[in-house]
């Protein structure tokens, strides 16, 4: 038994090393071999990507040879599985920053700030021309961005801002989460309800989306004398939101607005209402507000089950592309912070066309 | 006569303190007492009509039974894995995502917003079971044959699992619009008790029968206590360990089904997030040694419901989002310290001393 195992292991290891050699051999002849084998775990991702990238580059190099060298970009994003927003965002970036458009892009994903910082350092060492960054957390980026500047790597922030000196990055293309929240709260105000008893379901504490959308609500609620019954984080998670709303229903307190900071949580909240037989939506007792304009959310709006959904525009890549083109041709960026155009949808005015255009 | 009686009580307490169910029972009584004193309405159960028009039971105790059931099912598998492999499986949450995603993929047949089911729910569920058990077996093989520490071995799936789950559905968020599918995580028409509780009861009955009529308990404990002597007695420790992981896989598939049914959808990165920690905690709360050997299934299951009890209590008293984990941690520390063998010995000594004093 043990012998068999040992044999299998040995076979597996030789296989792996052969494949490793093959891969790196394709990418760079012989020289890199000894290095690539040692830090196996850390390198697997880049190794796996390398042959594909170079293969793509090879075929591309012949076609648009006129445009010269490819622009090397390192893109640090949150995990594309995080939400529909992120999936759309990642797909948009991948579609723009491809070999056909003259980009040699590498991607790194993490929901953790420190892992993202590591990835950024890796990209800087790899000598990328541009570092595109959607930071998991707003703080802790100063030193790595200084490194980038020292190494001539230009940084463009997208989707999320960070607490760092603006001189450390070229531009930031962001959604103004606060404006999104304000728009939703403004809509709530326009409903002229007799009283506002609000269940506030928050995203992951400390994220820009949570802070912006929460502040908009809490400040207006204080000013208008609205009653926030409960303010609790569901970590963007539908089932946690369901439990929170369930616990309010169990406690017997009455409420007429649910302000969920993303669509998934609104979905969970509605599931709890359905279980308790509480009506919601256009003709219901409880107003439902969500964010991110997921397709399913807009369909719920269209069906009148929810009331409002705020857009968080995930399509930044064309803006970034423009900026890089400007910088490459020696131009300057007039405005450092570019705020994306975002909409809010009301269940009473939304059309099928809106669902198809803005649903993600 | 009186003396004898008193010492009888003392002896009773002494015995009680040493019992395994002392810790979970104390925790339960304390939580229940706290809620009873603070607000007796906590225990109120009423009948409401849900949006499907069924009369259902509602109230915090029902909510605890409802949401605690998932954890209870996982605690069954986790107890076996802990007992046999002297370690814990930390990939449970990711595996739930895999199983849930696979079940949805089977049901919607690759069309992310289909209105019809592509196969009966039971078929999708059974296929989901097979997939989850295969992933369980993968963990089991790493632990049993390659002798990797369970926590390290399962770290692989912990890291990769959610991406695998997303990959099953091309990173789309499928939504099932079939009413029957929502019964699993909600209510079956005409039955006022949440379905997840029934499912948990079935799982508990099955595992009780299995432990009663097969040698699973004996073999698992033998392997957990001393692998070598188990082998010398003709057992195959590797097979027993793999079996425990496969059983956990089955539990994971059941939980995956309940989770995706609750909101008829999935969010890969947050579904069942950190549930593995709660499952491990349930085992620890049940007074089971986390280093394997003898186990008590009933106390683990009690532990699971206590954790949910605690969660609902914290929601009920509107502990602010930022502080929620801290409150939970304090309670956990108390419980774990209380269940530590040294503390328990001290307690039983204290009782003994009191008894001696009384006798004197």
């Amino acid at each position: 038994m043990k012998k068999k195992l040992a044999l299998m292991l040995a076979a597996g290891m030789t296989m792996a090393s052969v494949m490793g050699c093959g891969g790196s051999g394709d990418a760079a002849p012989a020289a890199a071999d000894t290095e690539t084998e040692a830090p196996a775990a850390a390198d697997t991702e880049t190794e796996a990507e390398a042959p594909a990238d170079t293969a793509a580059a090879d075929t591309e190099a012949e076609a648009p040879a006129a445009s010269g060298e490819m622009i090397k970009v390192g893109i640090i994003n949150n995990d594309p599985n995080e939400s529909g927003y992120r999936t759309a965002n990642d797909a948009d970036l991948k579609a723009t920053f491809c070999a056909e458009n003259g980009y040699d892009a590498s991607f790194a994903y993490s929901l953790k700030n420190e892992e993202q910082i590591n990835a950024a350092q890796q990209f800087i060492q790899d000598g990328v021309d541009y570092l595109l960054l959607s930071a998991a957390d707003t703080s802790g980026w100063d030193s790595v961005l200084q490194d980038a500047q020292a190494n001539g790597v230009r940084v463009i922030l997208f989707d999320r801002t960070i607490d760092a000196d603006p001189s450390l990055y070229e531009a930031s293309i962001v959604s103004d989460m606060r404006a999104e929240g304000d728009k939703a709260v403004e809509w709530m105000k326009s409903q002229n309800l007799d009283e506002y008893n609000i269940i506030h379901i928050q995203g992951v504490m400390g994220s820009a989306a949570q802070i912006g959308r929460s502040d908009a609500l809490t400040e207006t609620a204080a000013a208008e004398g609205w009653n926030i019954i409960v303010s609790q984080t569901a970590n963007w998670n539908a089932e946690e939101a369901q439990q929170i709303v369930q616990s309010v229903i169990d406690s017997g307190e009455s409420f007429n607005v649910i302000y969920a900071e993303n669509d998934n949580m609104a979905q969970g909240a509605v599931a709890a209402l359905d279980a308790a037989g509480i009506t919601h939506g256009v003709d219901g007792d409880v107003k439902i507000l969500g964010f991110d304009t997921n397709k399913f959310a807009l369909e719920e709006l269209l069906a009148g089950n929810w009331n409002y959904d705020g857009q968080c525009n995930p399509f930044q890549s064309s803006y970034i592309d423009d900026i890089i083109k400007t910088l490459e041709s020696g131009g300057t960026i007039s405005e450092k912070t570019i705020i994306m155009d975002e909409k809010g949808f009301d269940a009473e005015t939304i059309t099928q066309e809106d669902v198809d255009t803005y649903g993600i | 006569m009186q003396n004898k009686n008193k010492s009888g009580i003392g002896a009773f307490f002494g015995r009680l303190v040493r019992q395994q169910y002392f810790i979970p029972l104390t925790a339960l009584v304390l939580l229940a007492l706290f809620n009873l004193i603070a607000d007796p309405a906590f225990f109120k159960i009423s009948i409401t009509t849900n949006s499907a028009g069924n009369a259902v039971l509602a109230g915090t105790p029902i909510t605890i039974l409802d949401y605690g059931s998932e954890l209870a099912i996982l605690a069954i598998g986790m107890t076996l894995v802990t007992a046999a492999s002297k370690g814990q499986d930390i990939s449970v949450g990711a595996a739930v995502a895999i199983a849930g995603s696979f079940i949805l993929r089977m049901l919607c047949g690759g069309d992310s917003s289909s209105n019809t089911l592509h196969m009966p729910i039971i078929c999708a569920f059974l296929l989901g079971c097979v997939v989850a058990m295969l992933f369980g077996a993968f963990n089991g093989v790493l632990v049993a044959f390659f002798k990797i520490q369970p926590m390290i071995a399962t770290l692989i799936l912990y890291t990769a699992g959610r991406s695998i789950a997303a990959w099953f559905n091309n990173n789309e968020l499928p939504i099932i619009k079939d009413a029957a599918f929502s019964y699993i995580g909600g209510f079956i028409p005409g039955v006022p008790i949440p379905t997840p509780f029934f499912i948990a009861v079935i799982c508990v009955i099955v595992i009780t029968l299995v432990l009663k009529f097969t040698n699973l308990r004996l073999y698992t404990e033998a392997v957990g206590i001393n692998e070598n002597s188990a082998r010398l007695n003709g057992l195959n420790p590797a097979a027993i360990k793999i079996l425990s992981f496969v059983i956990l896989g089955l539990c994971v598939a059941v939980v995956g089904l309940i989770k995706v049914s609750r909101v008829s959808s999935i969010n890969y990165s947050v579904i069942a997030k950190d549930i593995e920690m709660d499952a491990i905690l349930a085992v620890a709360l049940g007074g089971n040694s986390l280093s394997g050997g003898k186990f008590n299934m009933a106390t683990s299951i009690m532990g699971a419901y206590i954790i949910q009890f605690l969660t609902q209590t914290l929601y009920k008293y509107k502990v602010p989002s930022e502080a929620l984990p801290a409150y939970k941690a304090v309670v956990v520390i108390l419980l774990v310290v209380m269940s530590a063998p040294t503390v328990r010995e001290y307690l039983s000594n204290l009782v003994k001393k009191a008894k001696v004093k009384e006798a004197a």
Side-chain angles (χ1 to χ4, degrees), chain B residues 144-165:
Chain B
F145 285 122
F146 296 91
K147 313 271 184 229
I148 305 174
Q149 281 267 321
M151 234 174 234
I152 307 300
T154 52
L155 190 62
I156 298 170
L157 203 56
Y158 173 83
T159 317
R162 291 178 189 278
S163 300
I164 296 172

Side-chain angles (χ1 to χ4, degrees), chain A residues 202 233 237 239 250 253 274, chain B residues 50-51 63 259 270 318 321:
Chain A
Q202 299 167 292
T233 180
N237 190 345
E239 300 121 70
D250 288 341
E253 280 176 282
D274 282 339
Chain B
N50 70 5
S51 60
T63 309
K259 284 265 184 205
V270 292
K318 292 174 189 162
S321 308

